[in-house]
Structure formats: C-alpha cells, structure tokens
Amino acid sequence: MSRVLVPCHVKGSVALQVGDVRTSQGRPGVLVIDVTFPSVAPFELQEITFKNYYTAFLSIRVRQYTSAHTPAKWVTCLRDYCLMPDPHSEEGAQEYVSLFKHQSPSMTFPKWLSHPVPCEQPALLREGLPDPSRVSSEVQQMWALTEMIRASHTSARIGRFDVDGCYDLNLLSYT
Amino acid sequence: MAAVEKRRQAVAPPAGFTDSGRQSVSRAVGAAESEEDFLRQVGVTEMLRAALLKVLEARPEEPIAFLAHYFENMGLRSPVNGGAGEPPGQLLLQQQRLGRALWHLRLAHHSQRAAFNNNVSVAYECLSAGGRRKRPGLDGRTYSELLRRICRDGQAPEEVVAPLLRKVQCRDHEAVPLSVFRAGTLTCFVLLEFVARAGALFQLLEDPAAAVADRRVGQAVLDTLEGALQASDAAAPARFLEAGSRLGPDSLALALDRAVGGRRPSAPMTREEFLERAAALFIAKVKPVG
C-alpha cells in the first residue's frame, strides 16, 4: 500500500490564554497549531510525522465531514499524549515523532456521560405527554430533598432495649 | 396591654408619643423621663427589638402578617389577666405548650438551617420546661403528638405520612433528647415539602378533565426517581452526576415515551396513590429512631 504525502498548511501557533495577551505577564502552557488541508479530495489519514520542540503533551482534534448534509464535527483523536516523560528534562524534547492511525484509541466514557445516539432521541414528543423539563424540575427537587434527609442522620440513640419489639415491663420480668 | 395602659395614666395627658418636642413631656407632672426612657421602662424597646430579630431570622414573605401573628401569640404567652382565677388545668397547659412549640417551629423554613435550628432549640426548651406538676424533659407522647400535629397542619394526607410517623415517633414513656427531636421535626417538615412537590408533579402528569394520571406515565416517573435514589457504589459527586443525568429532561422524555409506547394498556392512577408511592420512596431513606 503506497503512502502519499498530503499537502497541508500549518498555521502559526496561537497561545490559549485567559485575559489580555498584550498586558498579561505569564506565559501560557497551551499552544494551538491549526493544520488545514487545501486539497478537496477526501483521504484517510494514516500517519502524522513531526519533530518535537519541548512540548510535553499533545492532543489532536480532527474536524470531520461525514456527509454533505450533516455539519462537520470535531473529533478528538489523541488526548494528552505524552511526548516528554519529564517536562523539565531533555528526554523527548527534540525527538522525531510519528503518530499512527491505530494509536488513537476509541474513547470509552462512562455510560451516563455519553449523549444519546441521535436515532434514539424522539424527534417529536408524542402527543399528550407532559412537558419533560417541568417534570424534570419537580423530580429533581424531590430527589434533592430525599438525598438531604438520607445524608442527615443523628447518631444519638434514644436508648431502647427491645425484646422482640415489645417493651412491656411485665413481659420482661418473666424472662 | 393592661400594664401599658395603667402606666399611661401616671403620665399627664399632653405627653403623647407623637408629640414633637420634649418640652411638653417635661412639663407634665411626675413625668421627668423622656420618651425613650418611657418606652424602655415599659419594655416596648426590648419587645420590638426581639420582634425585629425574629423577622430578620425568618425572612418571611409577608412581614406584616408575620409580625401580626407574632404579637398575637405574644399576647397569648403572657399570663392570662386576672390573677384570681384557678390556674389552667394540666391538659390546657399541655395544649398551650404544643401550640407555642409549633409556632416556633414554623417561623423559619427548614432550608434556613441556622434559623430553623435555633427555633428547634427554643421549641424543645418550651416543651421540656418543668411545671408545677410536670417534671422537666420531653416525653415521647408529647413528641409524637407534636409530629402528628406538624403533619396534619401541613395538609398531608394521613395514609401518606403514617409510615413516616411509625419510623420516627417515640414511645410514650421514652425521654426524647434534643438531637432526636431536631431530626424528627426536620424530617417531618421536609416530608411535607416533598409531598407538596409530588402534588405539583402529579398536576403536570394528570389529565385535567379526569383528575387522574396515566398509570404508565406515573409509574415511569416514580421508577426513574427510585432508580436515581439507589445508592451506587460511587462516591458522592459521581452519584449526583449520575442522578442528575437520569432526571434530566432528555432522559425523562425518553422514559415517558418508552412507557407510553409499550403494549400495556392505559390505566388510571389517582393522586392519592401517586402521593403514597412517592412518599414511600422518601420514607425508605429515613433512618428509624432507635
């Protein structure tokens, strides 16, 4: 299988910084490099090669056009990939790095964090069903009240000495 | 009121509260005091200060009505005029104490925790005070009666609150410490709010014409709430996030849609049944007294 270099245009790095770039003193730790592909023909990216210069961690996000009708989506291919084991040492600081397609792992999020798959979402709520946002608001308040009571428990005991749940003095005196 | 009026006669008529200068007061016979002194001596300053402190603590929505109730109750609290009559019977005293304690407990909403705890302490002291024929301390019978009154006055149906009362009431002869008292009263007030929310929820679910809800819908909502309340093994923040996502509008909409889409036929669920089942979810999480 032949591999072809895809022409790309690498833009200058932009610092991600909170506040005014001109006046703030600190140097930011995150830089963003935009890479665009001027050729229109679709391709399957196999490998990215570059030379590192004192970057410790690398994240790669790709904007994918899946079909003509759906808008483009940003997909994270790599997150915090370690290039330098110790950011303060020289190891890995000026190395040549090759990243392959199979290295981007499939993201597994916990079930509750993932959005529902589009085909599962009801496009239109059935007729006659109550407003979900109002129902949700009431139910959430009920949940919060219950959680509060569950959390607040008194360690004080009233000091019962139950014999089979019955505290009758006469009965006790016979046992 | 009688004490104030008697006092006023000692002061000469022109010395009214709304008078402008002090000259008119000093001119009066035997009234060498200024208006401030007068107010202080009759205790009005202290009374008003206590009233304002209560308003600040409770932050009621209707301050004037709150103050009106406050002064009305204060009139009840002071010894009944006419010292000649026989002292009120034990039962009447008990009812008075209960009434006063209830009034204290209702001054602040349970979410205003500091104010609520203060009021709980005052109510507890009120009920525990010794009397001529009463030993100091709060007995289980009075405590249970108080809890029943709280729930009844909160307009929660009896079948709904009965399981809770069974869990938190104390036996007649048991001595109730402050911590148990505080936990029990708080639980009752929180349950009342929970039932109110459940009622509002039922109104969203019900068919206005029939005044019943679709059983599939009601059960789906209750099941979702029950699922969110199941204690998972995760630590607190993750548990809250999971519950939040289950109870969010999208997830609920899915649950409702699935419930109605199934092949089970529609059956009615009454408001009473819905409230009972909802309250059961709450009461299951209440630690019984023991």
Side-chain angles (χ1 to χ4, degrees):
Chain A
M1 165 170 74
S2 64
R3 290 203 309 208
V4 175
L5 279 177
V6 181
C8 61
H9 174 58
V10 180
K11 296 187 186 164
S13 59
V14 174
L16 284 187
Q17 191 169 2
V18 176
D20 198 350
V21 176
R22 283 171 294 145
T23 58
S24 88
Q25 301 289 332
R27 285 187 314 184
V30 184
L31 296 167
V32 179
I33 299 175
D34 275 324
V35 178
T36 56
F37 298 94
S39 69
V40 188
F43 60 89
E44 214 178 296
L45 193 60
Q46 301 284 345
E47 184 185 345
I48 299 176
T49 315
F50 60 92
K51 182 176 179 207
N52 188 17
Y53 191 75
Y54 294 98
T55 296
F57 298 98
L58 175 69
S59 296
I60 299 182
R61 301 192 77 206
V62 170
R63 194 168 178 205
Q64 282 182 336
Y65 296 85
T66 43
S67 75
H69 306 289
T70 54
K73 287 191 313 171
W74 280 102
V75 175
T76 304
C77 301
L78 266 189
R79 185 192 295 277
D80 291 338
Y81 180 73
C82 181
L83 297 171
M84 290 168 64
D86 181 3
H88 301 291
S89 304
E90 281 295 314
E91 191 182 335
Q94 297 189 55
E95 282 200 349
Y96 287 93
V97 183
S98 274
L99 299 168
F100 296 95
K101 187 172 117 174
H102 62 77
Q103 269 177 286
S104 84
S106 58
M107 297 293 173
T108 47
F109 287 106
K111 192 156 177 245
W112 49 263
L113 197 51
S114 60
H115 292 294
V117 175
C119 64
E120 265 189 46
Q121 260 169 347
L124 256 175
L125 207 49
R126 239 178 262 260
E127 284 292 316
L129 278 183
D131 179 7
S133 45
R134 291 178 70 190
V135 172
S136 166
S137 159
E138 295 292 346
V139 175
Q140 282 185 43
Q141 288 184 59
M142 289 162 70
W143 176 86
L145 289 170
T146 314
E147 274 290 327
M148 180 176 75
I149 273 304
R150 193 224 291 253
S152 75
H153 55 90
T154 173
S155 51
R157 303 179 60 78
I158 197 147
R160 262 181 210 165
F161 301 95
D162 273 4
V163 179
D164 297 326
C166 170
Y167 190 61
D168 189 339
L169 229 50
N170 291 327
L171 279 184
L172 280 181
S173 69
Y174 288 142
T175 55
Chain B
M1 281 323 208
V4 174
E5 286 179 9
K6 276 198 208 125
R7 181 92 196 158
R8 280 187 70 169
Q9 278 158 22
V11 180
F17 291 114
T18 53
D19 269 9
S20 42
R22 305 222 166 165
Q23 292 93 355
S24 55
V25 178
S26 57
R27 258 190 279 123
V29 172
E33 62 218 18
S34 68
E35 289 162 344
E36 285 166 8
D37 287 339
F38 171 75
L39 288 177
R40 198 179 8 254
Q41 280 180 19
V42 292
V44 170
T45 318
E46 192 52 48
M47 197 195 313
L48 284 180
R49 174 142 50 107
L52 287 181
L53 276 176
K54 270 289 178 223
V55 171
L56 282 174
E57 214 183 43
R59 306 221 171 220
E61 286 182 3
E62 316 247 331
I64 306 289
F66 179 92
L67 278 171
H69 278 129
Y70 180 88
F71 286 118
E72 188 182 357
N73 268 276
M74 183 175 293
L76 289 176
R77 266 190 288 167
S78 53
V80 179
N81 50 1
E86 67 271 6
Q90 198 58 19
L91 196 57
L92 183 58
L93 262 179
Q94 180 77 321
Q95 288 304 310
Q96 279 180 349
R97 283 176 200 249
L98 268 177
R100 255 180 276 149
L102 276 169
W103 178 77
H104 278 292
L105 288 171
R106 289 203 197 104
L107 279 177
H109 190 256
H110 67 82
S111 61
Q112 301 165 280
R113 196 51 69 92
F116 183 79
N117 280 344
N118 278 347
N119 297 336
V120 163
S121 302
V122 174
Y124 183 77
E125 267 173 62
C126 165
L127 291 173
S128 315
R132 191 168 346 149
R133 294 230 199 113
K134 180 188 177 296
R135 249 176 289 158
L138 175 61
D139 62 297
R141 167 188 282 166
T142 313
Y143 173 63
S144 304
E145 169 79 31
L146 179 79
L147 294 182
R148 271 196 298 274
R149 284 275 295 266
I150 293 175
C151 293
R152 204 176 62 212
D153 295 349
Q155 284 146 8
E158 226 178 289
E159 318 78 55
V160 170
V161 298
L164 175 73
L165 289 175
R166 275 197 292 273
K167 260 196 182 182
V168 293
Q169 271 177 343
C170 289
R171 305 207 179 113
D172 286 357
H173 53 269
E174 288 178 316
V176 180
L178 175 60
S179 49
V180 171
F181 180 80
R182 185 187 300 129
T185 48
L186 175 68
T187 308
C188 284
F189 281 110
V190 175
L191 174 64
L192 289 177
E193 182 167 352
F194 182 91
V195 170
R197 296 263 69 80
L201 175 59
F202 186 80
Q203 270 191 311
L204 290 173
L205 303 179
E206 74 177 342
D207 174 12
V212 288
D214 186 335
R215 177 170 291 269
R216 300 169 297 180
V217 168
Q219 198 58 49
V221 172
L222 289 174
D223 288 341
T224 313
L225 177 59
E226 185 171 8
L229 285 171
Q230 304 286 347
S232 58
D233 296 329
R239 197 171 79 223
F240 295 159
L241 284 172
E242 181 169 352
S245 103
R246 268 201 223 225
L247 301 175
D250 293 338
S251 171
L252 267 172
L254 266 177
L256 293 175
D257 204 60
R258 237 181 274 136
V260 173
R263 272 176 296 140
R264 276 181 304 165
S266 154
M269 186 189 253
T270 60
R271 182 194 174 90
E272 289 73 37
E273 187 185 348
F274 185 81
L275 290 183
E276 259 187 77
R277 293 205 188 193
L281 295 177
F282 176 94
I283 296 170
K285 303 297 176 200
V286 171
K287 199 165 165 234
V289 77

